[in-house]
Amino acid sequence: MHGWLKEQVRIYRGNAASIKEYRIQLRSTKTIWYWGIYLSILVIVAMANYGSIVSSASNSPSSLQSSLQTYYQIVVGFLQGMILLIAPMLGASAIVSEYDLRSIELVFSSPASTKYFLVGKYLAALRQLALLLFLSLPITAVGVTLGGATWQQVIEQYLYLMMHGAIVLAVAMPIAINTQSMVRTISGVVAVLILGGFFAAVASASSMAMMFGGMAGSTTSIPPLVGLVPFLTPFTLGYSTLVGLVPVPNWIFAGIATLAIVKVLLLGAGSALTKVGSRETRSLRVHGLILVALYCFSIYSTIKSIPWPPASQRQGIAMMVVNMPLIPIFFILMFLAASGRAEDRKFLADKLFNWKEILGGRPSGSLGYGMILIAMVAFTNALTLYSVSFIRKLEILMLPAWGLAFGLMILGIGWWVSPGFDQVVGSRRTVVAAVMGLVILSHVGLMFLDIGMNQVVTEFLVLANPFLPWADSLILLVMKITILLIIAGLAYYFGEKKRRLMFNKYYGQPKPIEATT
């Protein structure tokens, strides 16, 4: 234990890679220019907003106070956008520069561990981000001086901004290792932010809408992790969640979730740099389960904080409510499903299923690991909704079954696509495009069918679309699950045939049948 603690102190305090990277950043003339442009833009935005306040000084005190609050919110919102723009640049440059200078090979030949290298790079970029936030503090402090906000709100807001920046920074690092390009890394981070942020914003806004109006009437609490959604933070300041009888500020839950997310993302970067079965890969899988468990807790606390109507008062079945939280897991499965035939054994399609590889990182463990992730989220959601009497006992098993079938289809598509690609990057892009294409094109096609068709037939076709998580009866739900299982079975069958041909062509005789069952 003492040796482990000593090693952690060596990695996180006095990290040579972190000190070197931070000094390089501070000595660069580009950094001074970036800081100057950053502060100039913030000052211009602040002065423009302050000028509008001065021009309305003749208005009533209540109107003036509202204008001061608007000033603070605009400045903080603009600062939020700047952090989301700068963080991926810092993360990408920290990794891509090593590839550009061809010094990444020295990392593998040095006695320093992969964790030591990545943590050092990350901490150096995080320091830079913290310094940028510190430099902006005088501008936002004007809002406190003028009465637009309190110091408690400013400090809590800055804590959330630091969490947002830390997460985006960590997202950039595994993407940079895979792409080795600044432009592609930033594009990848933007795509992740758009998809993940859109889902999180819709889910959080829906929860808050139900809690502050509509179903919920009024409440004094909001879901604890809503503050991690960019641009929703101002609506979450000052709230807390009861743990037993003790109110715990929501920013503490957000901080714990941020640490878990950053840990998993850095482990993902470490896994991308190491070989199959490495400690980083196994740790990534274990911490991924822990992160999903935290996600399940967030689902549980959100559902429990909303007064749901009883099952007898709702229409149809609650398929959308149960399966909506699975969307992030589906995107994870799209990456798990992909493999490449010309890369190391970590990405090589070895066999269909091997329970020993669930934590090992090889494709044979993707099926088991993916099903575990879906089951954790789907059944947590279903059981919690049953505990508040929103769904019936039969629906506890039936509603999550669609999520499991859809996840199996994603993994099947990945098994079918992967043998045709040398590199895992191309395989992942094709899997994402195939799954998104099925979902989007099926819905768009049905919208076109609406023209000139009977409305009843059109509504039935829309409800019967197996790729969308809604239905008005258990019969339709069973039909959707059956179609998804058929697609998954066909994809696995033809994918296995392609895999055997690939093995026969590139590696000699194909593996025996027994090895894939």
Side-chain angles (χ1 to χ4, degrees):
M1 185 66 179
H2 176 71
W4 179 84
L5 289 174
K6 188 176 180 180
E7 176 66 13
Q8 301 311 304
V9 171
R10 187 181 75 88
I11 291 174
Y12 290 97
R13 183 180 180 184
N15 188 299
S18 174
I19 295 172
K20 174 190 171 185
E21 184 73 20
Y22 190 58
R23 286 176 177 174
I24 291 174
Q25 291 172 352
L26 291 181
R27 290 172 182 171
S28 173
T29 55
K30 291 181 180 180
T31 302
I32 305 300
W33 280 104
Y34 293 154
W35 287 359
I37 294 172
Y38 164 78
L39 290 174
S40 299
I41 293 174
L42 280 178
V43 169
I44 291 172
V45 171
M47 291 181 65
N49 282 281
Y50 184 74
S52 65
I53 293 174
V54 172
S55 63
S56 61
S58 58
N59 294 341
S60 64
S62 60
S63 177
L64 182 61
Q65 183 67 25
S66 176
S67 298
L68 292 172
Q69 292 174 353
T70 302
Y71 162 84
Y72 172 75
Q73 291 171 2
I74 290 175
V75 171
V76 168
F78 192 82
L79 182 60
Q80 172 79 83
M82 295 287 285
I83 292 300
L84 294 178
L85 180 65
I86 294 170
M89 295 181 182
L90 293 175
S93 63
I95 300 297
V96 174
S97 61
E98 296 291 339
Y99 285 98
D100 290 342
L101 297 174
R102 299 189 181 278
S103 57
I104 192 70
E105 289 82 3
L106 299 175
V107 176
F108 301 116
S109 59
S110 68
S113 64
T114 304
K115 179 179 180 180
Y116 188 88
F117 168 75
L118 288 173
V119 169
K121 290 287 186 179
Y122 180 78
L123 290 178
L126 195 62
R127 285 182 187 178
Q128 185 88 337
L129 205 61
L131 184 57
L132 290 174
L133 282 174
F134 179 77
L135 290 174
S136 69
L137 192 57
I139 298 173
T140 52
V142 174
V144 179
T145 306
L146 298 176
T150 65
W151 276 113
Q152 181 180 355
Q153 291 175 327
V154 172
I155 293 172
E156 190 173 346
Q157 178 71 65
Y158 267 65
L159 284 174
Y160 277 114
L161 288 174
M162 195 64 192
M163 294 177 201
H164 297 158
I167 292 173
V168 175
L169 192 62
V171 169
M173 300 193 79
I175 298 177
I177 290 172
N178 282 284
T179 62
Q180 302 176 21
S181 165
M182 280 284 293
V183 174
R184 285 188 289 172
T185 298
I186 294 173
S187 301
V189 173
V190 170
V192 170
L193 288 177
I194 291 174
L195 293 173
F198 175 77
F199 164 76
V202 170
S204 301
S206 300
S207 300
M208 293 170 67
M210 287 188 290
M211 294 168 63
F212 288 99
M215 259 197 273
S218 62
T219 184
T220 58
S221 66
I222 64 172
L225 301 183
V226 172
L228 289 181
V229 182
F231 303 107
L232 288 185
T233 305
F235 304 103
T236 67
L237 300 180
Y239 284 95
S240 60
T241 299
L242 286 177
V243 178
L245 298 177
V246 180
V248 179
N250 282 356
W251 62 265
I252 294 180
F253 292 104
I256 295 172
T258 299
L259 290 175
I261 293 170
V262 170
K263 175 74 172 180
V264 169
L265 290 170
L266 290 183
L267 284 171
S271 176
L273 283 174
T274 54
K275 301 298 181 181
V276 61
S278 66
R279 182 172 63 180
E280 287 81 6
T281 301
R282 292 185 178 276
S283 184
L284 170 63
R285 291 290 176 100
V286 172
H287 283 81
L289 294 174
I290 296 173
L291 183 60
V292 171
L294 287 174
Y295 181 53
C296 292
F297 167 75
S298 175
I299 294 171
Y300 171 83
S301 61
T302 301
I303 292 174
K304 284 292 189 179
S305 63
I306 299 173
W308 299 85
S312 58
Q313 295 183 10
R314 61 178 172 80
Q315 297 179 351
I317 58 177
M319 188 175 170
M320 174 74 83
V321 178
V322 171
N323 289 289
M324 185 75 172
L326 287 173
I327 294 178
I329 308 300
F330 291 150
F331 278 100
I332 293 173
L333 258 60
M334 293 180 201
F335 286 85
L336 285 176
S339 59
R341 66 189 178 201
E343 297 183 295
D344 63 64
R345 294 173 64 226
K346 176 168 56 178
F347 296 130
L348 186 64
D350 46 337
K351 59 182 177 179
L352 189 60
F353 174 72
N354 185 356
W355 65 271
K356 294 180 181 179
E357 291 293 337
I358 287 178
L359 299 179
R362 295 182 70 187
S364 56
S366 298
L367 178 59
Y369 191 75
M371 290 297 101
I372 290 173
L373 295 182
I374 293 177
M376 287 176 65
V377 176
F379 285 106
T380 296
N381 199 11
L383 289 170
T384 309
L385 287 169
Y386 176 73
S387 69
V388 296
S389 302
F390 186 68
I391 66 174
R392 301 174 179 87
K393 187 176 293 185
L394 178 62
E395 293 173 331
I396 296 176
L397 294 175
M398 293 297 297
L399 297 180
W402 179 89
L404 291 168
F406 192 86
L408 194 63
M409 183 199 71
I410 293 174
L411 294 170
I413 290 174
W415 200 258
W416 173 61
V417 165
S418 296
F421 287 87
D422 290 331
Q423 307 295 328
V424 70
V425 175
S427 177
R428 284 174 176 165
R429 290 173 181 168
T430 306
V431 171
V432 173
V435 175
M436 296 297 293
L438 281 174
V439 175
I440 296 173
L441 292 178
S442 64
H443 190 60
V444 172
L446 290 173
M447 290 175 62
F448 279 107
L449 287 176
D450 188 27
I451 303 174
M453 287 189 65
N454 185 281
Q455 185 176 0
V456 176
V457 175
T458 304
E459 290 178 357
F460 173 79
L461 290 175
V462 170
L463 290 173
N465 186 348
F467 308 115
L468 299 177
W470 59 62
D472 61 356
S473 68
L474 289 178
I475 296 175
L476 273 178
L477 175 59
V478 172
M479 186 181 72
K480 284 172 174 275
I481 294 171
T482 303
I483 295 173
L484 291 175
L485 290 177
I486 291 172
I487 295 174
L490 290 174
Y492 268 117
Y493 174 76
F494 289 107
E496 185 64 8
K497 288 187 68 175
K498 287 177 66 177
R499 184 187 74 88
R500 290 173 180 278
L501 290 173
M502 181 266 291
F503 262 98
N504 191 30
K505 180 178 179 181
Y506 290 93
Y507 305 101
Q509 294 298 318
K511 290 191 173 184
I513 298 287
E514 300 80 48
T516 62
T517 57

